[in-house]
Every structure is written in C-alpha cells, then in structure tokens.
Amino acid sequence: MTRVLLTGGSGFIAAHVLEYLLQHGHSVVTTVRSEEKAQKIRDAHPKADKAALDFAIVEDIAQEGAFDRAVVSEPPFEAVIHTASPFHFNVTDVQKQLLDPAIIGTTSILRSIKARAPAVKRVVVTSSFASILDGSKGLRPGHVYSEKDWCPITHEEALKDPSSGYRASKTFAEKAAWDFVEKEKPGFTLATVCPPLVLGPVIHYLNSLAALNTSNQRTGNMINGVFRDEIGPTGTYLWVDVRDLALAHVKAVETPAAAGQRFFVTAGYFSNREIADVVRKHFPELGDKLPRPDAKGGDFPSGEDAVYKFDNSRSKEVLGVQYRTLEESIVDTVKSLLAVGA
C-alpha cells in the first residue's frame, strides 16, 4: 500500500485514477475545490473509510503555494499524481485561464513537495499529446510521434487563441516539471503521461450534460442530434480510453522502471464517423438523433499513410497497458451519458 496525493479528484481522468488507486489498495487523499465536491466523491465510494479516502481543499491551483498544506499528511505521502489542469476552450484570457493554472499549478506542487513532503519518492504528472505534437506540421505523413517529440510552440503563438493556449499550457507545464527535477534535484522521481483525445465513460458527478468534459462532448453531440446533417471534424486522430489512461497513472506510481520517463499513452486511430457507426450499431433506438447515413464529414483522411504514425510501445512494455477497443469505449461512454440524462 502506498499513501498517494491525487490532485483534481472531481475531474474526468482523476475520478478513474481514484477508482484504480482504491482497487489496488492504496490510501488516497484527493484535492478538490470545495467541500461540496468532496462529499460527492465520498458518496460515490461508500465503502472507503477515512484511512482509504480523504480530502484536501485547494480552491485555486494557480495560486503560488496552493498545495503547501495539501502535501502534508500523517502518515506522510509517498507518491503524488497531479492531474489538475484546465482543459476547455471557452476562455477569454489565455494567460490567466490556461497558461498560469497549468504552469504555476505544476511548479507550485513540485516546490511544495520538495519543501514539505520529504517522504514522497514518486511524482506522476498528467501531460498531453499536445506537448508532443507539432501542430504547425499538420498531418505530417510518415512521421512517427513518440516520447522523443516536443511541441515547439512559443509563448507568442500561445496567446493567439484558446486552442494554441491549451497546447502551450500542456507543453510549458511539462517542460517546467522536467526542468524543476533537473535543477532542484528533489528526493522524488518524475514520470509524465501524455494522452491524445480521452474518451470513455463518465463516473464523476455531472451537474448537466452542458458540463460534459471537453473530450466527450463529441459523443454527447452525436447522440443529441447535433451531427444529424453533418459530422463535425475529428481533429485529433488518436485517442485513448480514460480507464486505460487512469491505470497508466497508477502503474507509473507502482512501477520502479517508470521513474524518469515520459509515456505516450494512446490506443491508436479513430474518426468521428467511426464513433457514429459504433453508436448506430449498438443503440438503434437513438437512430433519429444520429448522423443520417448520407451525412458528410467526420472521416479519417483518405489515402495510405495520410496521417502521422505513433509509437506507444513504451506504455505497453514498461506500464503493461493493454488498450481497449474504440467499440468498447464508445458503448460504455454512451451508456454512461444516457444514465445521466442524455
């Protein structure tokens, strides 16, 4: 058993990370923004006592020193999984709403751990394929993306629009984490996990479908008739199921060989049209909401080798991740969305 601090506990990814941590017998404290959110997570895990699951309130991760109190625990933490970071595009100020929370949130927690939690030996940070992908190169046929690649975006480019701001926030935050470990020589090792689009069932409390996490909005749109006449563009052609991603985080804590590594965690290719086909096959009762058979859009680019390739071998070899199929992921996603009123 390991004593683990998990940040952002009410988030889409963290909710699944919490499930695996508890399943694996770890003792978890998770950060939330309010007591109300803590109670919702508590209610979802009625069998977990305070020794197995407890909470720390961190109202604003972008404040310097935000985690100073959260990292102190008795018994002391031995590992930290940092998932808390913004992922939404409805922003008006890229610096304040995307860059600062991601970068300051990451460096602040690392500083707090070094100063106040000397028993911590492993830190795992959720990064993104956005920190690997070079968006300026487009679909980049023939290139194989792996952990060796870094997004080359500049601060000036980051401020252009929310999409660029998001890519930069993940890139700058991850680089800041690696720089911290190199320069500060803390008593803990770092591993980062870089997923592309994250699909899969929601298990966190949803106030409404309007509050659906950004990654799953496309599936929500699919079953709510938004793509009836035209399927929206796929955008990122790589995906991963949130449960496989969550397990990768937990394995990165449990596996000594994960220390000091980046992990590109992806199941492979997909398109929005494939999502539509899966939903139509398994949920015929939604037929009048789904894209019409002749609806345009949402296709995978035509032609062999039209899109960059990927190398996910490190995640499989070091962490032992076995990836779910798109069909399983989408079926479970739709079931979870219908359960909350889609």
Side-chain angles (χ1 to χ4, degrees):
M1 183 196 82
T2 301
R3 179 82 163 157
V4 182
L5 176 66
L6 170 65
T7 69
S10 61
F12 174 50
I13 295 168
H16 287 273
V17 175
L18 178 59
E19 293 275 309
Y20 279 114
L21 286 170
L22 294 174
Q23 277 179 31
H24 288 208
H26 299 301
S27 168
V28 188
V29 174
T30 186
T31 68
V32 286
R33 289 202 190 111
S34 66
E35 176 54 38
E36 181 192 13
K37 288 198 169 177
Q39 192 56 50
K40 285 169 182 170
I41 298 171
R42 221 178 261 121
D43 292 344
H45 298 89
K47 292 179 182 170
D49 61 15
K50 196 176 170 70
L53 175 61
D54 207 353
F55 300 88
I57 307 293
V58 177
E59 292 178 358
D60 183 2
I61 65 169
Q63 293 293 316
E64 196 61 60
F67 295 99
D68 277 356
R69 287 172 63 189
V71 299
V72 178
S73 165
E74 188 53 51
F77 293 117
E78 299 152 286
V80 176
I81 299 177
H82 180 55
T83 74
S85 186
F87 176 24
H88 53 82
F89 296 140
N90 53 339
V91 300
T92 52
D93 187 324
V94 166
Q95 187 70 45
K96 282 187 181 165
Q97 291 174 280
L98 285 175
L99 298 183
D100 287 351
I103 299 161
I104 295 171
T106 300
T107 53
S108 168
I109 195 169
L110 296 179
R111 266 195 284 277
S112 297
I113 295 165
K114 186 186 178 199
R116 302 168 71 91
V120 170
K121 299 301 174 210
R122 303 248 170 94
V123 175
V124 177
V125 173
T126 310
S127 188
S128 171
F129 179 47
S131 72
I132 291 175
L133 177 73
D134 183 348
S136 69
K137 298 276 174 62
L139 296 180
R140 210 173 179 185
H143 183 75
V144 181
Y145 277 111
S146 73
E147 293 87 354
K148 298 188 194 80
D149 292 284
W150 280 96
C151 168
I153 196 165
T154 65
H155 186 262
E156 186 182 2
E157 290 166 340
L159 300 177
K160 284 181 185 171
D161 56 73
S163 181
S164 301
Y166 172 72
R167 289 202 307 277
S169 76
K170 300 309 286 188
T171 305
F172 298 166
E174 189 187 348
K175 282 189 170 176
W178 288 114
D179 287 346
F180 180 91
V181 171
E182 187 179 333
K183 290 173 186 163
E184 298 288 330
K185 305 283 190 288
F188 56 80
T189 61
L190 176 69
T192 60
V193 183
C194 303
L197 189 81
V198 185
L199 302 173
V202 294
I203 58 168
H204 62 301
Y205 185 87
L206 272 177
N207 293 310
S208 69
L209 285 173
L212 195 60
N213 64 289
T214 307
S215 297
N216 269 333
Q217 279 171 358
R218 67 184 66 208
T219 310
N221 288 340
M222 200 77 70
I223 64 177
N224 281 317
V226 176
F227 293 158
R228 187 87 176 120
D229 298 314
E230 184 173 357
I231 304 173
T234 303
T236 302
Y237 294 100
L238 294 177
W239 76 286
V240 67
D241 185 281
V242 65
R243 294 161 293 187
D244 298 334
L245 174 60
L247 185 58
H249 282 79
V250 176
K251 290 284 197 178
V253 164
E254 296 172 340
T255 309
Q261 306 251 37
R262 286 178 103 193
F263 292 97
F264 184 17
V265 177
T266 179
Y269 298 116
F270 86 106
S271 70
N272 280 355
R273 185 169 291 279
E274 283 180 87
I275 293 179
D277 291 343
V278 170
V279 180
R280 190 178 291 107
K281 173 183 171 184
H282 290 274
F283 301 91
E285 69 276 17
L286 299 175
D288 61 343
K289 297 278 186 68
L290 298 176
R292 302 177 200 279
D294 59 350
K296 300 263 193 300
D299 293 299
F300 197 81
S302 59
E304 196 177 339
D305 298 332
V307 179
Y308 44 73
K309 292 179 168 56
F310 63 92
D311 179 358
N312 64 359
S313 57
R314 184 181 292 175
S315 69
K316 292 192 280 193
E317 289 163 9
V318 177
L319 302 180
V321 179
Q322 296 178 305
Y323 290 104
R324 284 171 170 80
T325 64
L326 182 70
E327 185 167 21
E328 180 185 350
S329 184
I330 295 303
V331 168
D332 290 348
T333 302
V334 173
K335 283 178 181 173
S336 75
L337 296 181
L338 294 175
V340 297

